[in-house]
Amino acid sequence: MKKSTLLILLFLSLGLIAQELPKGFVYLNDVVPSIETELRYCSHNNFIGIPIDGYEDNALIISTKAANALKKVQEEILKKGFSLKVFDAYRPQQAVNHFVRWARVLNDTVKKREYYPNIPKRQLFNLGYIASKSGHTRGSTVDLTLIDVKTGTELDMGSPYDFFGEISHPFSKKLSKKQLENRLLLRTVMLKNNFRPYVNEWWHFTLRNEPFPKTYFNFPIK
């Protein structure tokens, strides 16, 4: 067999492996390729400062039902000159366990200045920023923001993604008029397309009538 044929077969087999997801899940970019993604937990750019357990590749996975809902959101928001940018969707339970272990090591505060400068680490559980179970693990919760299509830059939402603090609450009193408008733009289009917001985080939405409301998955992201 020729070397070129072997290479083609190898790439085809790798492609098949990449598509082996549980029934009801898809890669978001396969459904809505125009959505920008940045999987922070697959890198050192997150509140812990290292790649998170279960994030083996920069591939954003989500339930098929949620992906189809995001497709409608993207179609609507593109008409306004914006695009979705997604930071996280499906999250393995092993990643949530990693968060919990980290939260209990109180002297590990490498990213405190950037992500939780005004909150003692011991309070992250009580304030709802870290939990032993996450809606993300059910596959239909998404963390996202908006970008300007012309410039490719994120809209000013008043606080960065994953910032632990009151200013990340959707209607924080510390926001400027424009920052609040930007948040309301995202919130309005997500609500219209059947996503439910989270009280502590402007970027966090869960699909209503999600397909796996009681199942917490643990397959890795790859």
Side-chain angles (χ1 to χ4, degrees):
M1 188 177 293
K2 293 182 180 180
K3 184 177 180 180
S4 59
T5 304
L6 285 171
L7 287 173
I8 291 171
L9 289 173
L10 176 62
F11 285 128
L12 286 174
S13 65
L14 288 174
L16 290 172
I17 291 171
Q19 297 302 313
E20 290 181 356
L21 294 175
K23 185 177 180 180
F25 283 86
V26 293
Y27 292 99
L28 180 61
N29 284 340
D30 287 344
V31 179
V32 204
S34 62
I35 291 181
E36 185 172 329
T37 60
E38 183 187 349
L39 226 61
R40 296 275 184 91
Y41 298 146
C42 191
S43 71
H44 289 76
N45 184 20
N46 57 65
F47 64 88
I48 292 182
I50 60 174
I52 306 303
D53 292 353
Y55 286 80
E56 299 179 11
D57 198 3
N58 188 24
L60 203 142
I61 298 170
I62 192 170
S63 74
T64 304
K65 189 174 180 180
N68 289 332
L70 284 179
K71 183 176 182 179
K72 294 179 181 179
V73 174
Q74 179 73 342
E75 290 171 352
E76 181 171 344
I77 208 69
L78 281 173
K79 295 176 183 177
K80 301 178 184 293
F82 303 106
S83 172
L84 297 177
K85 179 178 182 178
V86 178
F87 296 110
D88 197 32
Y90 163 69
R91 179 184 304 164
Q93 182 61 43
Q94 59 190 294
V96 177
N97 296 343
H98 190 168
F99 293 167
V100 171
R101 291 196 308 272
W102 167 83
R104 289 171 175 163
V105 182
L106 298 182
N107 62 351
D108 182 356
T109 55
V110 173
K111 291 288 187 174
K112 179 175 175 58
R113 179 178 296 182
E114 186 176 352
Y115 287 95
Y116 52 106
N118 304 314
I119 295 180
K121 190 177 179 181
R122 66 174 63 88
Q123 293 184 12
L124 293 180
F125 275 111
N126 293 337
L127 294 175
Y129 296 109
I130 301 290
S132 59
K133 293 290 185 181
S134 170
H136 282 279
T137 308
R138 302 192 299 265
S140 297
T141 292
V142 61
D143 293 339
L144 75 176
T145 190
L146 295 174
I147 60 173
D148 186 303
V149 171
K150 290 183 179 179
T151 64
T153 57
E154 295 178 22
L155 272 60
D156 181 2
M157 296 293 188
S159 70
Y161 163 62
D162 255 0
F163 185 85
F164 301 152
E166 185 180 340
I167 197 170
S168 290
H169 296 180
F171 299 103
S172 171
K173 301 298 184 182
K174 300 179 181 180
L175 300 174
S176 69
K177 180 180 179 181
K178 186 60 179 178
Q179 290 166 345
L180 181 58
E181 287 177 357
N182 290 339
R183 289 190 184 185
L184 287 175
L185 175 61
L186 175 62
R187 185 183 180 95
T188 299
V189 71
M190 293 297 285
L191 285 169
K192 181 179 178 181
N193 287 280
N194 214 26
F195 283 91
R196 180 179 68 252
Y198 176 51
V199 67
N200 281 346
E201 300 168 346
W202 60 261
W203 56 81
H204 179 122
F205 296 86
T206 299
L207 184 69
R208 296 184 189 276
N209 301 315
E210 57 186 302
F212 308 107
K214 297 181 180 180
T215 305
Y216 294 85
F217 294 90
N218 196 33
F219 62 92
I221 295 173
K222 60 181 179 178

